[in-house]
Amino acid sequence: MTDKTLEEKQKILDTLIKKVDKEMGVGTLQRASDALRNGVFDLKIFPTPSPELNGMLWCGGFSGIVELYGPQMGGKTSLAIDTIALSQKNDPNFVGGWLETEGGISKEYLQDHGVDLSRFYYFRQEDTGNGENAMDVLRGILKTGAIDFIVVNSVAGLAPQKEVEDDLDKQNIALTARLMSKFFRTSNMNISKNKTCVVFINQTRDNV
């Protein structure tokens, strides 16, 4: 078998692109140069209110999947809310969202941080029953692409169904980790396609 020339390879791939486009939709497979022109590689950046933090982040703000973690009372929630408020100020079409698992957010807190509540969607884990249901609601939101930036506050507060139903003395290992793993496997494509930013707030612990 002889080596193919670049022209021959591109002709073969152009034929394959037409086949894939017909079966799965135009743009499913494309040259990177075409993808660049079509905005596939474009990132949606959400600057935080901190120029210093933006400078340390490789893209100048939050983008894609973000884990915001640190000690309790370290300012993680305030940073996330202030980023939403700043994005609302900069973009009249921006819509923010919030999944609360700890019950620590009030109307006054949001208003004090300048959040436009008419462009902010909020739901609580307790109203869904358990962590799986809450993350299913989040998956549904991500499929729509209608919310630009959504925060999960917090991963540590997610309560899987088995944990909710079992007695307190039962040791259920890695339930939250398995829940999060499945969520990422099934949601990454929607986060990427819709250029949504999802911020997961988490806590560090010195004493388990």
Side-chain angles (χ1 to χ4, degrees):
M1 182 177 178
T2 58
D3 291 338
K4 292 180 176 64
T5 65
L6 175 60
E7 185 178 352
E8 290 171 330
K9 291 177 181 178
Q10 289 183 331
K11 188 174 181 180
I12 292 169
L13 290 169
D14 285 342
T15 301
L16 178 60
I17 286 173
K18 290 177 183 177
K19 182 176 183 292
V20 172
D21 281 352
K22 186 176 180 180
E23 293 176 355
M24 300 185 182
V26 175
T28 301
L29 174 63
Q30 53 189 314
R31 283 192 181 95
S33 55
D34 294 331
L36 182 63
R37 284 193 295 272
N38 294 333
V40 173
F41 296 124
D42 293 349
L43 290 176
K44 202 168 185 181
I45 310 298
F46 301 92
T48 76
S50 169
E52 294 82 3
L53 177 58
N54 294 336
M56 289 185 285
L57 297 170
W58 70 275
C59 60
F62 290 151
S63 182
I65 298 172
V66 176
E67 183 181 20
L68 191 58
Y69 69 96
Q72 288 181 304
M73 306 302 292
K76 303 180 297 297
T77 302
S78 293
L79 177 62
I81 287 178
D82 285 339
T83 300
I84 289 174
L86 178 63
S87 296
Q88 288 180 327
K89 182 179 178 182
N90 291 338
D91 180 1
N93 295 313
F94 174 91
V95 177
W98 197 277
L99 163 56
E100 181 63 38
T101 69
E102 299 181 352
I105 299 296
S106 66
K107 175 186 72 175
E108 291 75 19
Y109 189 84
L110 293 170
Q111 290 175 334
D112 286 347
H113 283 263
V115 175
D116 178 357
L117 300 183
S118 68
R119 290 187 286 145
F120 183 80
Y121 289 77
Y122 174 90
F123 67 106
R124 303 180 300 178
Q125 175 181 235
E126 61 200 80
D127 295 326
T128 68
N130 55 59
E132 285 88 349
N133 290 343
M135 297 305 277
D136 273 338
V137 173
L138 178 56
R139 286 200 305 175
I141 290 171
L142 294 172
K143 286 178 183 178
T144 69
I147 289 184
D148 302 288
F149 185 105
I150 190 161
V151 177
V152 178
N153 183 44
S154 67
V155 174
L158 284 171
Q161 181 177 2
K162 185 170 177 56
E163 194 171 73
V164 171
E165 294 174 349
D166 277 355
D167 295 334
L168 291 176
D169 62 348
K170 294 287 181 65
Q171 297 298 316
N172 295 304
I173 306 301
L175 292 179
T176 302
R178 290 201 290 269
L179 169 61
M180 293 299 295
S181 179
K182 183 175 181 180
F183 169 80
F184 285 126
R185 288 196 304 272
T186 56
S187 299
N188 277 350
M189 55 185 170
N190 289 315
I191 293 171
S192 176
K193 182 176 93 173
N194 296 321
K195 294 181 168 51
T196 306
C197 182
V198 187
V199 176
F200 294 91
I201 296 177
N202 213 341
Q203 285 87 38
T204 55
R205 295 280 192 264
D206 292 327
N207 189 333
V208 176

